[in-house]
Amino acid sequence: MEQPILIIGGKGKTGSRVAERLQAKGKEILFVSRSTGFDWTDRGTWAAALQGASAAYITYYPDLAVKGAPDDIEALAKLAVSLGVRRLVLLSGRGEPEAQESERRLIASGADWTIVRASWFNQNFDEGQFAPMILEGEMALPVSRVREPFIDADDIADVVAAALTNPRHIGQLYEVTGPRLLTFAEAIGEIGRASGRQVKFHTIPNEAFVEELRAAEVPEDLAELLVELFTVVLDGRNEYLTDGVERALGRPPKDFADYARDAAASGAWK
């Protein structure tokens, strides 16, 4: 009998999509998250989650950019290998030093690894932290002309599902991007055209962004992460396209305009 595939963070943007694809292939899935007893801050919860799995998709909470993430990834990978779970696929972050160190630790663990390195998801605009701003008609962020190759979560899920079920992806690092670079203002313009909504974009100082997060009672650790992502990672270091989706799947990635059209048609911004 085939052993199940473990998804750590199975209710997240990519985890839920990976599960759908694996189930469509007839694979048995195990989901673990904080709500089911798996806790990244409590290593005593890890072995029970890994027990009996054939492979695992690893997403780290809150993000691999945080301090301590490489130690956790190393410990989890070594534990997984010791329990016979050698096939590990890691969702990593572009331009994040801690994420790249986590990748190195995973590779050194002895696992049959695949790394999928991504940055800002299209779905942040309709399923994530930007959705309320769009509904309010105004987005204010500490970023101006830096361009980002926004990647669709469905493309990531397709790559991950392929990596978990086809051995040709073992030992591959797929850095995935969308097909073009957009500023946040340009992305909002695409959403406005697709949805018919009037959404204004403003660049604000970092200090004002921090005050907004505090006013919204965003937890301190998450607020620190968001500030780092906007002020460090969004400094232009990721302002280039890659062929990760095409190498993994043999097709181009989804364009942001197509994402915006589909999300609007689904009623995401009504």
Side-chain angles (χ1 to χ4, degrees):
M1 184 176 178
E2 191 174 8
Q3 293 174 294
I5 296 174
L6 174 67
I7 300 179
I8 299 175
K11 302 301 181 184
K13 292 183 188 67
T14 64
S16 59
R17 287 172 165 84
V18 170
E20 290 173 359
R21 284 151 176 79
L22 293 176
Q23 288 169 334
K25 293 175 181 283
K27 303 296 183 181
E28 185 181 349
I29 307 300
L30 290 175
F31 299 92
V32 293
S33 63
R34 286 178 299 169
S35 64
T36 62
F38 180 93
D39 189 344
W40 277 111
T41 66
D42 182 0
R43 296 186 181 185
T45 65
W46 298 358
L50 290 162
Q51 206 68 248
S54 62
Y57 173 45
I58 305 168
T59 64
Y60 187 81
Y61 182 85
D63 190 276
L64 286 180
V66 303
K67 299 293 185 289
D71 291 339
D72 285 343
I73 294 299
E74 179 180 20
L76 181 86
K78 288 182 175 179
L79 177 61
V81 170
S82 74
L83 293 172
V85 189
R86 296 188 58 85
R87 189 74 191 93
L88 303 178
V89 178
L90 175 69
L91 179 64
S92 187
R94 299 180 78 220
E96 300 175 8
E98 295 293 310
Q100 267 81 85
E101 178 60 25
S102 296
E103 296 172 8
R104 288 188 284 271
R105 304 276 188 96
L106 181 77
I107 291 169
S109 70
D112 294 332
W113 58 271
T114 303
I115 293 163
V116 182
R117 186 188 287 170
S119 190
W120 295 93
F121 300 170
N122 294 346
Q123 281 70 18
N124 287 330
F125 292 92
D126 70 302
E127 299 177 20
Q129 63 268 40
F130 302 146
M133 299 181 190
I134 293 171
L135 292 174
E136 291 170 4
E138 186 169 3
M139 178 176 284
L141 297 172
V143 61
S144 56
R145 295 185 178 182
V146 173
R147 298 178 301 161
E148 172 68 24
F150 297 100
I151 178 71
D152 201 86
D154 286 320
D155 285 335
I156 295 173
D158 284 344
V159 173
V160 171
L164 287 166
T165 55
N166 190 324
R168 82 172 182 85
H169 300 289
I170 292 173
Q172 295 295 314
L173 190 160
Y174 296 118
E175 186 164 341
V176 294
T177 69
R180 61 187 169 118
L181 294 160
L182 295 167
T183 65
F184 275 77
E186 289 168 341
I188 290 300
E190 295 279 9
I191 290 171
R193 283 186 287 277
S195 65
R197 298 185 68 90
Q198 293 294 319
V199 185
K200 296 179 181 179
F201 179 84
H202 301 290
T203 297
I204 59 173
N206 182 52
E207 295 77 13
F209 182 57
V210 172
E211 287 304 317
E212 285 190 0
L213 294 175
R214 286 175 179 160
E217 298 183 347
V218 174
E220 191 66 28
D221 58 342
L222 182 56
E224 289 176 3
L225 170 63
L226 288 171
V227 169
E228 179 172 354
L229 292 176
F230 275 107
T231 59
V232 178
V233 179
L234 270 173
D235 62 356
R237 69 183 66 185
N238 289 333
E239 210 168 19
Y240 61 93
L241 304 178
T242 64
D243 64 352
V245 172
E246 192 149 8
R247 282 200 302 116
L249 304 175
R251 63 161 177 82
K254 188 171 188 175
D255 188 77
F256 191 90
D258 295 326
Y259 149 74
R261 182 199 63 228
D262 292 346
S266 74
W269 297 300
K270 287 184 179 178

